[in-house]
Structures are given as structure tokens and as C-alpha cells.
């Protein structure tokens, strides 16, 4: 496997779709927004590149291998499963026994002790490795099964899809694509690993949201039009001075000539994605998907000229 996968923006192109992280509810909201846009005549699944982080990585694989209508119907119809291995990301299963509030407290403590984003990534990786050392080693295989069950296809699409993660041992950011020598399921499982690290061969990875933020919109540099779907609405626990906030990345993209539009949860779903709320709760998926669908339909007319 080639570990030298990251730190290069995609080749310049027309349209980039950025799908941010946001847990199980975030994945449902992303699917809803894409389905609402699609029904109203704006097909964002035909982007020249789709950049997916954590729950957004799952959504990226889903929307490139099934129709938005099929995905929305499945999201609304599927009953929440009773159990699932601890983890994170974008599917219907409960993610971990701990509450999201505890998870946010843990992240806040690590961020507070870090001097910059690179130091934060190293600390996040070290914390994950400590959890791994105390585990029985079975989590990666269990998590892979869970992730695989969420995907309509286990094969990389021919369309360009970029999946973010972080090397748990070095803290270095990683971007997987179909040329990386990594299975799609493994790339997504790594991108969604916000607790224990996910193993691919001899390497261990943690959530792509630790790369810079839950969206990693900077990877869309060079694209003429960039549409960012952010379940967390661009919010971040990191200090503004680090320069990693979504708003900062959008300013930089625009300064380089990109047109950028964003979609954040509106009043009908904003409460679901408040920090400390349980975005891993599978019961939040149907209302998040419905709210996203309504929002996508409502925004389609405004986005049609931008996207087409």
C-alpha cells in the first residue's frame, strides 16, 4: 500500500462536492439534501470530485453507487439496529456506548492541550493507540463488517472520490482514492474511526475530521465551483488562530478563484447537530433525512445556475 497519499489538492477541474462529517444523523442529512436537490433538478452526484470526511465519506460512496431516491427511501425505512461495534461515522447503527457529550469533552481536552493542528493530530492518534492497546484487537474486523453493510457497492467508483483520514502513529493526514491500493470499505472505515484506530495492513488510522476539520474543504483547491454540505454548519472545537475553520478554508478557496456555496442545517435540523447532542443516535436519522430533503428541494432553484 502506498502511504504517500496525501497533501496534494485534486487536479483543477470544474465542480467539487465536499461532504462533511456529522455522525449517523449527519450521514442521513447529507443523503436527504442530495436527494432533495436531485428531485428538484440539481444532480450534485455528477461532481468532478467528491471529498468525503467521516460520515461524509460514507455518503460519498453511497451517492456514487445508488440513486439519491433509493438512498433516501432506505434511510427513512430502515429500523435502527439493536447493537453495533463502537466507532463513528455515517450509518444507521449506534456508534458507541458513551454519549456524544463525553466524546466532545474528550476531544476538547486534547485540543486544549495541543499547540497547533499537527500537535493535535499526534495527540489524537496517541489517545487512539492507547485505547487500541487496551482492547482485544477485534474492533477493526467488526467495524469493517458494519461499514460494508452500509454501502451499496464495495468497489471504488470511476468517478473521483477522495476519502480523508489521519495516520494514528504519525499524525500525518492521508487522502485515499481509487489509486491508493486500499479497498473502499477500508478507506471509509478509517475515515470514520474517531475512537479506536482502524487497521489497514500494518497501519492504523483515525477519523478524517482530525485532518483539519469536519469538512476538509481545502482539498477542493483548484476547482472552479465548490459546494460544501456541512452537517455541523462549519462549527469547530479548534481555536480560530489555527486557521483550520471551514470559514477560513472557504475564504482561501475564493481568494484562489473558486466560487463556493455552502449548505448548513436549517432551523428544522440545526438542533440535531449542536455540539454535545447525540449525532450518533440512529433515531435521529429519519428526521435528519427529511429535514435535509426539504432543505435540498428548497435550495435547488438558487443553486441550479451555480452547479450547472
Amino acid at each position: 500500500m502506498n502511504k504517500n497519499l496525501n497533501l496534494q489538492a485534486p487536479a483543477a477541474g470544474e465542480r467539487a462536492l465536499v461532504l462533511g462529517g456529522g455522525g449517523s444523523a449527519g450521514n442521513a442529512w447529507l443523503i436527504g439534501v442530495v436527494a432533495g436537490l436531485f428531485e428538484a433538478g440539481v444532480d450534485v452526484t455528477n461532481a468532478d470530485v467528491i471529498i468525503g470526511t467521516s460520515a461524509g465519506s460514507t455518503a460519498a460512496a453511497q451517492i456514487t453507487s445508488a440513486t439519491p431516491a433509493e438512498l433516501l427511501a432506505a434511510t427513512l425505512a430502515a429500523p435502527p439496529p439493536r447493537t453495533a461495534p463502537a466507532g463513528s461515522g455515517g450509518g444507521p447503527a449506534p456508534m458507541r456506548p458513551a454519549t456524544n457529550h463525553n466524546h466532545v469533552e474528550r476531544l476538547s481536552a486534547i485540543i486544549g492541550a495541543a499547540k497547533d493542528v499537527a500537535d493535535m493530530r499526534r495527540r489524537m492518534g496517541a489517545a487512539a493507540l492507547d485505547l487500541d492497546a487496551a482492547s482485544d484487537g477485534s474492533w477493526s474486523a467488526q467495524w469493517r463488517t458494519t461499514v460494508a453493510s452500509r454501502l451499496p457497492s464495495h468497489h471504488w467508483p470511476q468517478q473521483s472520490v477522495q476519502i480523508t483520514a489521519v495516520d494514528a502513529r504519525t499524525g500525518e493526514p492521508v487522502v485515499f482514492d481509487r489509486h491508493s491500493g486500499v479497498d473502499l470499505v477500508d478507506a471509509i472505515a478509517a475515515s470514520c474511526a474517531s475512537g479506536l484506530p482502524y487497521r489497514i495492513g500494518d497501519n492504523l488510522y483515525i477519523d478524517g475530521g482530525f485532518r483539519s476539520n469536519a469538512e476538509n474543504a481545502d482539498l477542493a483547491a483548484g476547482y472552479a465551483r465548490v459546494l460544501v454540505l456541512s452537517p455541523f454548519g462549519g462549527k469547530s472545537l479548534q481555536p480560530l488562530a489555527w486557521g483550520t475553520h471551514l470559514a477560513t478554508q472557504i475564504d482561501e478557496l475564493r481568494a484562489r478563484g473558486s466560487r463556493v456555496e455552502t449548505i448548513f442545517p436549517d432551523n428544522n435540523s440545526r438542533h440535531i447537530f449542536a455540539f454535545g447532542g447525540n449525532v450518533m443516535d440512529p433515531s435521529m436519522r429519519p428526521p435528519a433525512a427529511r429535514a435535509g430533503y426539504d432543505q435540498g428541494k428548497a435550495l435547488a432553484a438558487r443553486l441550479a445556475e451555480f452547479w450547472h
Side-chain angles (χ1 to χ4, degrees), residues 45-59:
T45 70
N46 61 10
D48 296 293
V49 66
I50 301 177
I51 297 161
T53 294
S54 199
S57 73
T58 308

Side-chain angles (χ1 to χ4, degrees), residues 70-299:
E70 290 170 339
L71 294 170
L72 179 64
T75 302
L76 296 176
R82 297 177 187 173
T83 59
S88 78
M95 294 300 109
R96 59 174 65 80
T99 66
N100 194 56
H101 178 72
N102 292 338
H103 181 58
V104 170
E105 285 187 342
R106 182 179 71 88
L107 297 185
S108 297
I110 294 173
I111 291 169
K115 63 182 181 180
D116 56 27
V117 66
D119 187 34
M120 179 206 70
R121 289 195 299 260
R122 289 189 292 268
R123 289 173 182 267
M124 291 292 183
L129 293 174
D130 286 344
L131 290 175
D132 186 59
S135 73
D136 64 5
S138 64
W139 180 79
S140 286
Q142 295 172 12
W143 183 229
R144 190 182 199 283
T145 299
T146 299
V147 170
S149 71
R150 300 170 177 171
L151 306 181
S153 171
H154 296 170
H155 302 290
W156 285 97
Q158 288 304 303
Q159 186 174 359
S160 179
V161 172
Q162 309 276 339
I163 304 296
T164 65
V166 171
D167 188 304
R169 292 193 177 100
T170 67
E172 288 299 309
V174 172
V175 178
F176 297 111
D177 63 16
R178 69 177 183 267
H179 305 297
S180 301
V182 171
D183 287 348
L184 177 64
V185 175
D186 287 323
I188 294 170
S191 187
C192 294
S194 69
L196 287 161
Y198 182 76
R199 180 176 295 277
I200 304 177
D202 294 330
N203 304 306
L204 291 164
Y205 299 95
I206 56 175
D207 197 294
F210 301 139
R211 177 188 173 274
S212 66
N213 57 39
E215 297 81 24
N216 292 304
D218 60 303
L219 291 173
Y223 283 82
R225 288 168 285 172
V226 181
L227 178 62
V228 182
L229 275 58
S230 171
F232 284 136
K235 295 188 295 292
S236 175
L237 296 171
Q238 298 176 25
L240 188 61
W242 286 3
T244 56
H245 283 219
L246 175 61
T248 301
Q249 293 184 350
I250 289 174
D251 286 344
E252 291 173 352
L253 288 170
R254 287 173 173 159
R256 296 175 183 176
S258 297
R259 294 175 61 193
V260 184
E261 293 284 351
T262 60
I263 301 179
F264 299 158
D266 61 14
N267 290 333
N268 292 325
S269 53
R270 190 173 295 144
H271 66 284
I272 298 173
F273 303 105
F275 283 145
N278 195 357
V279 296
M280 306 303 182
D281 182 353
S283 70
M284 292 292 100
R285 285 180 61 77
R290 292 189 195 98
Y293 173 77
D294 291 342
Q295 199 172 349
K297 285 189 70 175
L299 292 172

Side-chain angles (χ1 to χ4, degrees), residues 21-40:
S24 183
N27 172 263
W29 179 82
L30 291 167
I31 288 171
V33 171
V34 171
L37 289 169
F38 185 85
E39 182 165 317

